Amino acid sequence: MKYNIVTLQLLAAAAAISNNGGVCAFTTSSTTQHPAISSSTAQNGVRKGSVMASGGFGKTTAGSGMSKGKKGMKKKSRKAPSYELKSGTKIQDVLNPDIFADPNTIETIKTQIRNGEICVIRNAFIPEFASAMYEELDDTDAWSKNEDYFNDGYGFKHNNVYSKSDFSPLFLQANEMFETEETKEFMSELTGRDCSGESVGAPSYYEVGDHSLPHTDHVGQRSVAYIWHLSKTWKAEYGGGLYWAPEPLANAYLHASFNTLVLFSVTPFSSHFVTSVSPKSKGNKRLAYNGWWHSSWVPKPTDPIEEMLASPEQRLTLTHAQIQSINDMLDDPWAPRIQPPERHEAVVDLRRNIMEELYPEAKYSPVVLN
């Protein structure tokens, strides 16, 4: 197994951990609140927005648009949120301090992600926040069914809330938290990737038959992916497992659970999929909040690209959009030219390395009878 699940053994009074299907079941009887969270009985300050911008959800290949969804439920009146994130909350404020205050654990996470492994963190967020998000996901009726299939064999079918006008106050606050500069700086330091661009995230719900076929997330400027699993009473036999393809079969399944944060560096090799949800799951919900941090760097002819991408490790961090920008510099007759000509030839060689390393030829070839 190339990855280790980062698990905190909380005191019995704070949490009870069950190994049944990888489910972590929290008890949150304590009335002490984390300073980043306050009780609320009103819905003041709910901001309205539009459907997420490019680089967001429903996009699988360059040029493909937002998948079409159908509202399947009649809206009901929203109840007042049980918790509220204060303005300016950063991810460090709501991550479980008993995990992220440990330097050894931080180093383990850094190593896993930098090595292209998937990082699985149990009990990742403070219990109050996790429970509040679960309640919001379980209660919302704003789900849209999103389903699409592509000529490269990729396809998906699942429920989401993409329009921010349908976000609850807590969903909006969570998005703001993932988007703060302090959060993006923390994630850049943690992952070794540039997370200074936009951050997008949204609720996800897989019901019976829902799935997501193999893909890498390597689209646009996506740099680091996160999946915050928030399923309760979930069992492995219900399906809906995140399958990390680089791992051997025995280690590849990451079953849905409660308050588990999954992180990985988005590259052409971050292949994964979500298995179909079984009819046995009836009455249970596979719930998550997931998204990406994006890079803000767009290569320009004046950038010292040769130095910035001198090693295979550096080249592996290129986003799909950055690779395309380098191609445009070299191939588009209308694009600004790389000068002097010696530099142009050096970048041509660099591109050859990029393509050979990130898009290698297949290790197999079909046997064809004449």
Side-chain angles (χ1 to χ4, degrees):
M1 182 181 294
K2 294 182 180 179
Y3 67 90
N4 294 309
I5 297 176
V6 180
T7 306
L8 175 69
Q9 299 296 336
L10 295 175
L11 295 174
I17 301 177
S18 166
N19 290 323
N20 186 11
V23 175
C24 298
F26 280 84
T27 58
T28 56
S29 57
S30 174
T31 57
T32 303
Q33 290 186 353
H34 190 275
I37 299 181
S38 61
S39 297
S40 176
T41 56
Q43 298 186 47
N44 297 327
V46 179
R47 295 179 296 104
K48 303 294 182 181
S50 59
V51 176
M52 290 185 177
S54 61
F57 298 84
K59 305 185 89 173
T60 55
T61 55
S64 65
M66 183 77 74
S67 59
K68 295 180 180 179
K70 293 183 179 179
K71 290 286 178 65
M73 302 171 231
K74 183 179 179 181
K75 280 195 175 183
K76 58 186 177 182
S77 59
R78 289 175 178 165
K79 65 179 183 180
S82 58
Y83 289 98
E84 183 177 276
L85 290 179
K86 293 180 180 178
S87 178
T89 297
K90 54 189 181 296
I91 197 169
Q92 301 95 303
D93 296 327
V94 289
L95 288 170
N96 191 324
D98 294 314
I99 295 177
F100 287 88
D102 178 14
N104 292 330
T105 301
I106 293 292
E107 286 306 310
T108 297
I109 294 171
K110 286 182 176 181
T111 300
Q112 288 181 354
I113 296 176
R114 283 165 171 76
N115 287 344
E117 302 163 16
I118 196 166
C119 183
V120 183
I121 307 169
R122 306 290 192 198
N123 310 311
F125 290 87
I126 58 173
E128 306 98 310
F129 183 33
S131 294
M133 285 292 285
Y134 167 79
E135 291 173 5
E136 292 286 333
L137 289 167
D138 187 51
D139 185 63
T140 187
D141 59 354
W143 300 110
S144 296
K145 176 64 74 176
N146 290 278
E147 183 175 11
D148 212 342
Y149 302 91
F150 299 83
N151 58 13
D152 62 356
Y154 175 61
F156 58 84
K157 179 185 179 186
H158 43 65
N159 299 282
N160 304 91
V161 183
Y162 286 151
S163 175
K164 287 189 177 179
S165 63
D166 290 327
F167 274 32
S168 71
L170 187 59
F171 292 159
L172 289 170
Q173 293 156 14
N175 249 27
E176 285 186 356
M177 179 269 293
F178 286 118
E179 177 71 21
T180 64
E181 292 303 315
E182 294 85 354
T183 293
K184 292 190 284 189
E185 289 172 5
F186 176 80
M187 294 311 302
S188 294
E189 170 63 22
L190 189 69
T191 64
R193 297 292 304 270
D194 173 25
C195 297
S196 62
E198 69 170 340
S199 170
V200 295
S204 168
Y205 164 40
Y206 282 64
E207 57 186 334
V208 173
D210 285 356
H211 59 274
S212 185
L213 297 180
H215 61 287
T216 64
D217 284 2
H218 196 239
V219 174
Q221 287 281 64
R222 292 175 184 173
S223 185
V224 174
Y226 70 87
I227 306 102
W228 183 13
H229 285 286
L230 288 158
S231 303
K232 289 189 175 182
T233 67
W234 196 264
K235 299 180 180 180
E237 65 196 70
Y238 296 163
L242 175 63
Y243 188 98
W244 185 247
E247 279 285 333
L249 175 64
N251 306 326
Y253 280 101
L254 303 170
H255 300 294
S257 56
F258 177 68
N259 197 16
T260 297
L261 179 64
V262 176
L263 299 171
F264 62 86
S265 181
V266 176
T267 74
F269 303 100
S270 54
S271 302
H272 61 285
F273 59 93
V274 178
T275 63
S276 182
V277 174
S278 163
K280 288 189 175 183
S281 69
K282 189 174 182 180
N284 297 276
K285 294 181 179 180
R286 185 196 185 277
L287 300 170
Y289 198 93
N290 60 281
W292 301 269
W293 287 283
H294 292 70
S295 174
S296 63
W297 179 53
V298 178
K300 302 184 294 295
T302 54
D303 291 337
I305 299 172
E306 306 95 311
E307 291 77 19
M308 296 173 69
L309 302 175
S311 70
E313 292 77 17
Q314 290 169 313
R315 294 191 283 271
L316 185 60
T317 66
L318 283 167
T319 68
H320 187 272
Q322 289 162 357
I323 295 171
Q324 187 58 54
S325 293
I326 294 172
N327 283 334
D328 289 344
M329 281 186 224
L330 298 173
D331 299 335
D332 185 351
W334 302 104
R337 309 306 294 170
I338 299 173
Q339 297 293 342
E342 296 78 19
R343 272 203 70 220
H344 179 90
E345 292 306 313
V347 176
V348 169
D349 291 339
L350 176 63
R351 177 174 64 175
R352 185 179 304 111
N353 290 334
I354 291 170
M355 301 309 292
E356 289 177 354
E357 294 166 4
L358 301 191
Y359 303 99
E361 294 184 5
K363 294 181 180 179
Y364 68 90
S365 58
V367 177
V368 180
L369 296 177
N370 293 326

